Amino acid sequence: MSDFDVIIIGAGPGGYVCAIRCAQLGLKVAVVEGRDTLGGTCLNVGCIPSKAMLNATHHLHEVHENFEKMGLMGGAPTVDWAKMQGYKQDVVNGNTKGIEFLFKKNKVTWLKGWGQITAPGQVKVGDDTHKAKHIVIATGSEPAALPGVTVDEKTVVTSTGALELATIPKSVTVIGAGVIGLELGSVYARLGAAVTVVEYLDVITPGMDAEVQKTFQRILTKQGLKFIMGAAVQGVEASAEGNVTTYKLRKDDSLATLTSDVVLVATGRKPYTAGLGLEALGVEMGPRGTVKTDAHWATNVPGVYAIGDAVAGPMLAHKAEDEGMALAEVLAGKHGHVNYGVIPGVIYTTPEVASVGATEEALKEAGRAYKVGKFPFMGNARAKAVFQAEGFVKILADAATDRILGAHIIGPAAGDLIHEVCVAMEFGASAQDLALTCHAHPTYSEAVREAALACGHGAIHA
């Protein structure tokens, strides 16, 4: 039996970041992980491999759509699917090995296997039981099931199977117009598949700024994705022609079918807590399978904590990382804090979509007086030079104080640009503060400054 200050169950972004910070703060730490590699869903079968595929297929898209416009002539490349899959795996391996190195560097013990909390302060891994003053649940999430749809990860797949298809399909049905569905749908559309997205709601990317939603759907439609909105999927059946998806249109209850080689189920994720022994331990659970915690990520069982996708809030790797670092501070006797009002969200399509803070819809609902500063990328010289002038930056500021309340970007490098606004919001900056800050020319970031200027006397280039 080994004694630790902290045992963390799960080596995803929340778990491994929490472990490293705990070790840096002088605590003796172990991480329980049953995969052969560290990094959890994100590094192994989620964020990282999907970005590799998005990168590869973006270059393919550029060759077909834009190279000739720039005077780059010659035959278009063909896709070596096995080689592309190999590139993706190399990216994954490099990142997961990196976490292993960081564990060794920081003297974090990897307990290989699946963990069960048998009693407060005790975690069983295989045949061994280990003691700890603090136990952290960082077990992440898994794809949510859809009634009437049986996933085989071959032709009816979740994001995991979609990243390792044996061949490039000729047609794909994506169930769900959220981040995962649109990113992976974009990958296969660029590879030549006919992609149809079936969404229950009347808008894509639920919860995002309404203007962004409309612009984003229009751009994706131009890129070849088809959308069937307001459709409730009833089931998926195999046939000689392929997988048949049956859906019911909410507007008139009419039934229709769609046949495709592959069906991607991208209807969200749910916390993964199976096998932890939480019920026997008496851990109180929250809505939709989340672990209930207080403001310091503590459960109702003394010494047991939870972070990341296992608890309430957006299921984002960086949210889990923030909670992991903050909890480590708490466990080391310091003060840990997460500003949940400044957690950005990003969709890594082309164009990218990013947001932070409040939407216009939320501000209207709250009855808050606000002003809008908006600037189109059509007025940004750098964006026009790389054929990415569609989209805009929108900044929302308090009508009286000019304090930035939120930002929404659809355009080139949106996932990087949003952090300028995040830092500004963290410091309580006004739109004028951002507008009066010099930005290098020519950069995409000038569009953010122009949107801030538009909150005042007006943008210069619009």
Side-chain angles (χ1 to χ4, degrees):
M1 183 179 288
S2 304
D3 287 348
F4 296 93
D5 294 315
V6 185
I7 293 179
I8 299 163
I9 305 176
Y16 83 71
V17 167
C18 185
I20 291 169
R21 177 61 86 215
C22 282
Q24 289 172 338
L25 294 171
L27 301 175
K28 185 181 179 184
V29 191
V31 174
V32 181
E33 177 54 61
R35 289 180 190 268
D36 293 332
T37 51
L38 301 171
T41 294
C42 180
L43 267 67
N44 287 278
V45 292
C47 323
I48 301 306
S50 64
K51 301 312 161 284
M53 298 298 285
L54 281 160
N55 179 54
T57 57
H58 171 67
H59 288 300
L60 180 66
H61 171 84
E62 288 294 289
V63 169
H64 286 293
E65 299 296 324
N66 292 325
F67 269 31
E68 193 172 311
K69 297 175 187 175
M70 296 183 285
L72 301 174
M73 315 306 285
T78 57
V79 176
D80 185 325
W81 184 236
K83 205 162 189 177
M84 188 179 288
Q85 290 281 314
Y87 150 70
K88 176 203 73 180
Q89 195 57 46
D90 286 345
V91 172
V92 170
N93 293 345
N95 281 279
T96 56
K97 289 293 183 186
I99 304 304
E100 258 190 86
F101 166 77
L102 291 173
F103 271 23
K104 290 173 183 174
K105 176 185 174 183
N106 290 283
K107 297 181 173 58
V108 174
T109 301
W110 178 4
L111 301 174
K112 297 186 179 183
W114 303 106
Q116 180 183 4
I117 307 172
T118 52
Q122 293 188 11
V123 177
K124 186 178 181 183
V125 183
D127 296 327
D128 300 322
T129 299
H130 307 270
K131 284 186 177 180
K133 296 175 189 173
H134 311 290
I135 298 169
V136 179
I137 298 165
T139 46
S141 60
E142 61 181 341
L146 189 64
V149 181
T150 302
V151 172
D152 61 12
E153 297 294 16
K154 301 295 182 186
T155 61
V156 181
V157 299
T158 64
S159 55
T160 301
L163 288 165
E164 50 189 30
L165 294 177
T167 58
I168 300 172
K170 292 181 180 177
S171 55
V172 179
T173 298
V174 178
I175 304 175
V179 176
I180 294 171
L182 297 181
E183 285 187 352
L184 293 176
S186 292
V187 166
Y188 285 103
R190 295 170 188 170
L191 289 167
V195 176
T196 304
V197 181
V198 181
E199 168 58 45
Y200 179 78
L201 299 176
D202 295 322
V203 294
I204 67 172
T205 58
M208 295 199 86
D209 176 85
E211 197 173 1
V212 169
Q213 290 172 330
K214 292 174 185 174
T215 303
F216 192 26
Q217 185 174 346
R218 175 177 55 78
I219 292 172
L220 291 176
T221 300
K222 283 174 61 178
Q223 292 178 3
L225 277 73
K226 295 180 180 177
F227 291 88
I228 300 173
M229 308 302 292
V233 171
Q234 307 297 298
V236 176
E237 297 285 343
S239 74
E241 290 76 32
N243 290 291
V244 180
T245 300
T246 301
Y247 59 90
K248 180 188 287 187
L249 291 175
R250 289 168 46 231
K251 63 182 179 182
D252 57 13
D253 282 343
S254 62
L255 287 171
T257 60
L258 186 63
T259 303
S260 60
D261 296 336
V262 169
V263 175
L264 166 59
V265 182
T267 50
R269 298 179 66 84
K270 62 180 181 179
Y272 180 75
T273 57
L276 288 177
L278 300 188
E279 187 177 350
L281 198 63
V283 173
E284 191 175 347
M285 305 300 285
R288 296 177 293 279
T290 56
V291 179
K292 191 172 182 180
T293 60
D294 66 11
H296 296 99
W297 306 281
T299 70
N300 62 308
V301 176
V304 179
Y305 303 80
I307 59 173
D309 286 6
V311 303
M315 290 186 171
L316 297 168
H318 45 283
K319 177 258 197 184
E321 290 178 346
D322 261 29
E323 289 176 337
M325 285 194 290
L327 177 55
E329 299 280 339
V330 170
L331 299 182
K334 301 178 183 295
H335 177 70
H337 173 70
V338 174
N339 184 354
Y340 288 100
V342 186
I343 295 181
V346 182
I347 306 175
Y348 297 90
T349 48
T350 300
E352 290 185 351
V353 178
S355 63
V356 67
T359 62
E360 280 199 73
E361 292 70 35
L363 292 174
K364 287 175 183 174
E365 190 176 336
R368 184 147 187 189
Y370 68 95
K371 52 187 174 179
V372 180
K374 187 178 169 189
F375 185 78
F377 276 102
M378 187 59 72
N380 181 269
R382 178 81 182 278
K384 283 193 282 192
V386 298
F387 309 109
Q388 290 199 49
E390 289 186 287
F392 56 84
V393 179
K394 178 195 284 190
I395 292 177
L396 308 174
D398 185 272
T401 67
D402 197 39
R403 183 169 182 163
I404 299 172
L405 305 175
H408 307 276
I409 306 175
I410 176 167
D416 294 301
L417 297 179
I418 198 68
H419 296 97
E420 174 179 4
V421 185
C422 292
V423 172
M425 290 177 67
E426 195 66 48
F427 279 85
S430 67
Q432 187 181 41
D433 290 327
L434 204 161
L436 294 178
T437 302
C438 186
H439 287 59
H441 174 77
T443 61
Y444 304 133
S445 65
E446 289 176 286
V448 179
R449 184 189 193 184
E450 294 269 18
L453 283 164
C455 287
H457 295 298
I460 300 299
H461 293 93

